[in-house]
Amino acid sequence: MANYWNKEIECMSREDMKKLQDERLVAQVKHVYENVPYYKNLMDKKGVTPDDIKSTDDLHKLPFLTKADLRDAYPYGLLAKPLSDCVRIQSTSGTTGKRVVAFYTQNDIDLWEDCCARAIVAVGGTNEDVCQVCYGYGLFTGGPGLNGGSHKVGCLTLPMSSGNTDRQIQFMRDLGSTIICCTPSYAAYIGETLKEMGLTPDDIKLKAGIFGAEPWTEEMRREIEKLLGLKAYDIYGLTETSGPGVAFECEEQTGMHINEDHFFAEIIDPETGEVLPEGSKGELVFTSLTKEAFPLLRYRTRDICVLSREKCSCGRTLIKMSKPMGRSDDMMIIRGVNVFPSQIETVLIGQGYAPNYLIEVDRVNNVDTFDINVEMSEEQFSDTVKEIQKKESELVEAIKTVLGINPKVHLVQPKSIARSEGKAVRVIDKRKLH
Ligand code: ADP
Ligand code: ZN
């Protein structure tokens, strides 16, 4: 039986949801136009006024915002409320460049934490649960967002932050944590550490994990489920729209429901900016319908995914987004071929390797080099050199079948690839440094 944090919204009829979104959008566009000169300018340039926006059907008339705009307008240029009404800032992780900051009123914080509460309840969380939050706390939104959601649900909240993995496991055992929230790469690291300590999933009580903030594959999901003996759920969000909880997975584990009463989603062609029909793969664009302090309209996330309104067995009617396969700027073009790290991760885990790998790309004499370092387990490491070479060739073949180009695969010693306590670094593209 599915549980909901806010059944009325999560299971609302399409018609009522559209009406709610339309009303909120009209008010939001007015709020932004009147209070954010930076965006008013963009609208004026496009010849659009708030009167032109009567419903979400008119959204396509509005200009986009990009990360470049946020950097341009840093720090206060997109603020829509006086600073005296703001109570918090958070900042992006800076994965793809200079960090940007987002502002929150108390109401913005409440709504954000509410979205995280929906995610926790969707994985079965109640006030009986012990929720261990090991996303980073501080400027990063992961820790504060899930922490707030966990309080709302009434879980006993362990504000661990990331790192100090032995202590994570000790608290998990001593206090009987039932829910864990962190990045999927950190979850895998905790699982690996547990095993090294000679413990098994039977020694801990985790039943559900809420993992997000970075791309991860279905293969990685199964790996983590096995390592920690729990069900692993995805959660998505970005600082620019609030933080985690923009979308969350339900018991079906087939994509994330978007909290579309707060965030209106569109999929566009990243080249032309044209809005694509439902079911198309493209760049996700969000309009925040309710944020007061930092209400971004048509923000281009650069995340690539697909939206679907297919009926979900959990009873929620909220539109679903597929797992983002990576950002458009995570995509590498190697020897003319598009490559996402997630494609390589799928092959590696499928062939029995742990998700510890590092891709290195460079350009030598005008030719792209493509190296993948893959860590061996202790057992694999005890093989003969000949055996290891054979395994490298097998991996090259398997990756070539998926990508159409040949990497160089290097099987490296156990523990030689740095573990991540936050967002994992999977690629070093040296071409960008030349
Ligand atoms: P940064 O953009 O600097 O990493 P954030 O910490 O705000 O800053 O991260 C938001 C980004 O993280 C998203 O735009 C997306 O690329 C990625 N992300 C968040 N959750 C997920 C998820 N569940 N799956 C894949 N990517 C995700
Ligand atoms: Zn569902």
Side-chain angles (χ1 to χ4, degrees):
M1 242 309 272
N3 284 320
Y4 313 103
W5 174 251
N6 184 339
K7 185 164 186 214
E8 194 193 334
I9 289 284
E10 293 173 57
C11 303
M12 190 174 254
S13 73
R14 180 70 209 114
E15 210 179 19
D16 288 348
M17 179 56 78
K18 167 96 173 65
K19 213 170 131 226
L20 182 69
Q21 291 174 325
D22 288 347
E23 281 167 18
R24 287 180 170 178
L25 178 69
V26 170
Q28 186 69 302
V29 172
K30 230 173 139 239
H31 170 55
V32 171
Y33 193 80
E34 284 166 7
N35 295 294
V36 185
Y38 188 98
Y39 198 76
K40 176 179 183 293
N41 239 332
L42 293 179
M43 283 176 67
D44 290 346
K45 267 199 209 140
K46 235 186 151 210
V48 203
T49 67
D51 287 341
D52 296 322
I53 311 299
K54 302 209 160 52
S55 79
T56 49
D57 302 331
D58 297 321
L59 197 59
H60 65 96
K61 297 177 184 164
L62 289 173
F64 291 119
L65 278 173
T66 64
K67 202 129 180 168
D69 288 308
L70 266 70
R71 288 179 180 142
D72 232 26
Y74 176 90
Y76 299 124
L78 290 162
L79 190 63
K81 281 276 183 186
L83 275 180
S84 54
D85 288 352
C86 297
V87 298
R88 172 103 62 89
I89 71 152
Q90 302 280 168
S91 157
T92 58
S93 317
T95 312
T96 58
K98 185 178 155 193
R99 290 161 187 265
V100 299
V101 289
F103 299 82
Y104 302 74
T105 62
Q106 185 56 49
N107 192 44
D108 291 335
I109 299 268
D110 276 341
L111 297 183
W112 172 30
E113 291 179 352
D114 221 61
C115 288
C116 290
R118 290 182 196 175
I120 293 170
V121 169
V123 309
T126 69
N127 59 359
E128 304 285 334
D129 281 294
V130 179
C131 181
Q132 182 160 344
V133 182
C134 17
Y135 282 111
Y137 280 62
L139 284 171
F140 177 52
T141 52
L146 268 313
N147 189 87
S150 175
H151 275 221
K152 286 210 169 200
V153 175
C155 303
L156 174 64
T157 308
L158 272 57
M160 302 293 295
S161 196
S162 58
N164 204 336
T165 308
D166 289 350
R167 190 179 62 191
Q168 299 278 3
I169 292 173
Q170 186 202 326
F171 269 75
M172 189 180 290
R173 298 186 72 201
D174 293 350
L175 295 160
S177 305
T178 50
I179 298 177
I180 180 169
C181 311
C182 60
T183 59
S185 52
Y186 193 40
Y189 181 23
I190 294 176
E192 183 188 352
T193 310
L194 190 76
K195 203 165 158 187
E196 277 169 16
M197 291 166 87
L199 300 170
T200 73
D202 289 339
D203 296 306
I204 53 174
K205 292 208 175 120
L206 291 178
K207 62 177 187 189
I210 302 180
F211 305 126
E214 63 182 359
W216 53 309
T217 57
E218 284 302 325
E219 288 74 16
M220 179 102 161
R221 188 204 300 266
R222 283 191 287 275
E223 178 83 12
I224 296 171
E225 290 190 332
K226 208 166 60 199
L227 282 169
L228 292 173
L230 47 63
K231 275 189 91 178
Y233 299 88
D234 206 350
I235 187 166
Y236 171 90
L238 58 166
T239 314
E240 293 90 325
T241 55
S242 58
V246 169
F248 62 96
E249 232 172 17
C250 64
E251 65 219 26
E252 225 189 52
Q253 294 177 298
T254 54
M256 295 172 273
H257 289 285
I258 297 176
N259 283 314
E260 56 178 332
D261 51 327
H262 298 303
F263 309 104
F264 189 91
E266 298 170 278
I267 290 285
I268 63 161
D269 178 330
E271 302 294 327
T272 63
E274 183 200 348
V275 179
L276 300 176
E278 194 198 305
S280 318
K281 185 159 100 183
E283 180 180 346
L284 189 57
V285 173
F286 277 116
T287 294
S288 52
L289 299 173
T290 47
K291 279 199 71 177
E292 296 175 339
F294 203 67
L296 301 188
L297 306 181
R298 299 201 88 200
Y299 180 65
R300 292 184 59 159
T301 63
R302 300 189 284 184
D303 293 321
I304 304 291
C305 74
V306 178
L307 297 179
S308 153
R309 282 212 179 272
E310 253 174 58
K311 199 164 186 278
C312 189
S313 62
C314 74
R316 288 180 185 79
T317 49
L318 299 171
I319 195 167
K320 269 161 102 168
M321 62 181 271
S322 65
K323 248 181 185 318
M325 63 183 300
R327 315 182 197 218
S328 48
D329 41 0
D330 273 350
M331 191 187 78
M332 302 167 277
I333 302 182
I334 306 176
R335 297 177 208 143
V337 174
N338 297 351
V339 177
F340 278 98
S342 56
Q343 294 173 297
I344 294 163
E345 182 172 300
T346 299
V347 173
L348 295 180
I349 301 179
Q351 303 263 330
Y353 294 88
N356 300 316
Y357 62 96
L358 185 66
I359 302 163
E360 284 180 334
V361 189
D362 202 351
R363 186 163 289 157
V364 179
N365 299 329
N366 293 321
V367 180
D368 290 335
T369 61
F370 177 23
D371 291 78
I372 310 174
N373 298 310
V374 183
E375 204 180 275
M376 288 178 278
S377 65
E378 293 290 348
E379 289 133 54
Q380 290 163 333
F381 188 49
S382 64
D383 280 343
T384 61
V385 173
K386 216 168 143 201
E387 267 296 314
I388 290 175
Q389 281 169 346
K390 186 167 158 255
K391 283 192 183 134
E392 285 176 340
S393 313
E394 283 166 3
L395 274 179
V396 170
E397 272 312 304
I399 292 167
K400 191 180 162 201
T401 310
V402 175
L403 300 179
I405 52 169
N406 260 328
K408 266 196 197 140
V409 170
H410 313 274
L411 286 174
V412 299
Q413 288 187 22
K415 295 265 169 268
S416 56
I417 290 179
R419 299 295 186 267
S420 158
E421 295 170 352
K423 298 194 190 216
V425 176
R426 304 293 196 191
V427 180
I428 298 178
D429 193 342
K430 293 184 184 151
R431 296 175 301 182
K432 291 178 182 158
L433 305 174
H434 294 327

